[in-house]
Amino acid sequence: MRVRLVVTFVVVALISAVTATALAYRDARTAVLQRTQNAAVNDLRERVGVVAADVDLPPDERTLARFASKVSEGIGARIVVVRYQDLSATSDTLAETEGRITAELRAAVRAGSGARFQRVEWRGEPYLVVGLPVTYADGDRRTSGLEVFAITALRAERDDTAALLDSVRAGIVPVVVLAAVLALLAAGTVLRPVRKLGRATRELATVDLGSRVVVRGHDELADLARTFNETADALQASDAELRAQEAKARRFVADVSHELRTPLAAMTMVATVLEEDADQLPPDAARAARTVGAETARLSRLVDDLMEISRFDAKAVRLNASVTDLADTVRASLALRGWTDRVTAELQEGVRAVVDRRRVDVIVANLVGNALRHGAPPVTVTLAVDGGGEGGDGGEWVVLEVADHGPGLAPEARERVFDRFYKADAARTRSTDTDTGSGDRADSGDSSDSGGQGSGLGMAIALENARLHGGTIEVSQQPLGGAVFTLRLPLRTGEEGE
């Protein structure tokens, strides 16, 4: 913007200066030449009127020469040529006049009754030639046959106009420099509020909703600044309202989850008793008892998940990290849920990192449970160390991949799979019963549910636990079908307290 303003100012100033120079040169040149022409015509007419009264007609060559000399003396010693029919005389006998008095001018003088003039270029020099027919006196306007021509050099006028043009040209440079300086000052005055507005906008974009612009003046920029401040006020008010509503919603979820735990504990005990005695009940009652037990367990897991999510939202989650053998952790997680025979594990041995073992178990339970529940065998779990680092930063990362050979995830599902309460299309959910051993579940994560759909919180909880370790979880599609979930955790090997 600054460059464009300066260039525009300079171009406008340059065009203005050049235009003004051209007009001034033209007007000055015209005025100088007009003044010289008028003076030459008037001087010649007056001098001829004085000298012609003493000339006898018809004149001889000697009379013409004397006439030319007297006229020349009276008009500043200019070269004067007098013609009468075939006779001709010059005030300066050494001067060459044929090239300066053109045939067109002689014809105009011979045919006219007044003075005629013409500017000519002869041998690179400018001249003004004035022609005048001599008329009879006493009111007789007939020509006498005498024709007088005065040749005036225009070298001085040419030099004067050239000097004027040079001086005007020399003045263009300071005009352009001044225009550039004024353009810089104007650009600074105009762009300073724009820069402040841009800085405030960037601060607003970085969630600094208290950013405002000082309003000065009553021009368009001031109106823009006022509009920005009004928009920022409205945005800040909306943000505060949304934050308050979000905090209320989190408190509500946490409070409800907390209040549900006590009655759920009682319901779980009753459901457990009913399930243990189900074999002694009639078939319908036994089926109802098992259904109540399964749904009570599912409700209990949902409450646990909600409590876990609320702790993440409240930033109340802390890592209980220690140096852990990750291969042993993965094997223990699979064995705890009875998945050892259903999963192909390719685990690099000796991978030790500082992690929270319980939260890594939650991640593994959710990723593997999701693959068993929605994918198709074989399900493969791979653990390795990646020395390239995420984004090519050169650090070492632990990479855990969980791949299945099911229908995979559609692109829109891959974008939302980690959203809370999101459940993929039922086409990915297998209808066969897959007992994943949810009863031995170590922590929150709905992918270890048995049969049916989960709560939609398991993958969100897994991602939050990965982020808590400074890592992430990514989802992709295998070329031949099937989803691949990749857990990446930074490989920190320093010893920490238990």
Side-chain angles (χ1 to χ4, degrees), residues 308 312 317 356-363 465 468-469:
E308 184 75 358
F312 277 113
V317 179
D356 188 326
R357 184 186 180 104
R358 181 182 68 86
R359 296 191 180 278
V360 171
D361 175 74
V362 171
I363 298 173
N465 279 300
L468 197 62
H469 285 83

Side-chain angles (χ1 to χ4, degrees), residues 38-52:
N38 292 340
V41 170
N42 293 333
D43 290 347
L44 181 61
R45 183 182 291 117
E46 291 176 1
R47 185 60 180 170
V48 168
V50 173
V51 177

Side-chain angles (χ1 to χ4, degrees), residues 303-313 317 358-359 362 443-444 461 465:
V303 171
D304 289 340
D305 289 346
L306 290 174
M307 290 291 293
E308 184 75 358
I309 283 292
S310 65
R311 283 195 291 269
F312 277 113
D313 290 339
V317 179
R358 181 182 68 86
R359 296 191 180 278
V362 171
D443 203 316
S444 302
I461 290 174
N465 279 300

Side-chain angles (χ1 to χ4, degrees), residues 340-359:
T340 303
D341 296 335
R342 303 172 59 189
V343 174
T344 301
E346 300 175 0
L347 310 177
Q348 179 178 333
E349 299 295 339
V351 180
R352 299 175 63 81
V354 179
V355 296
D356 188 326
R357 184 186 180 104
R358 181 182 68 86
R359 296 191 180 278

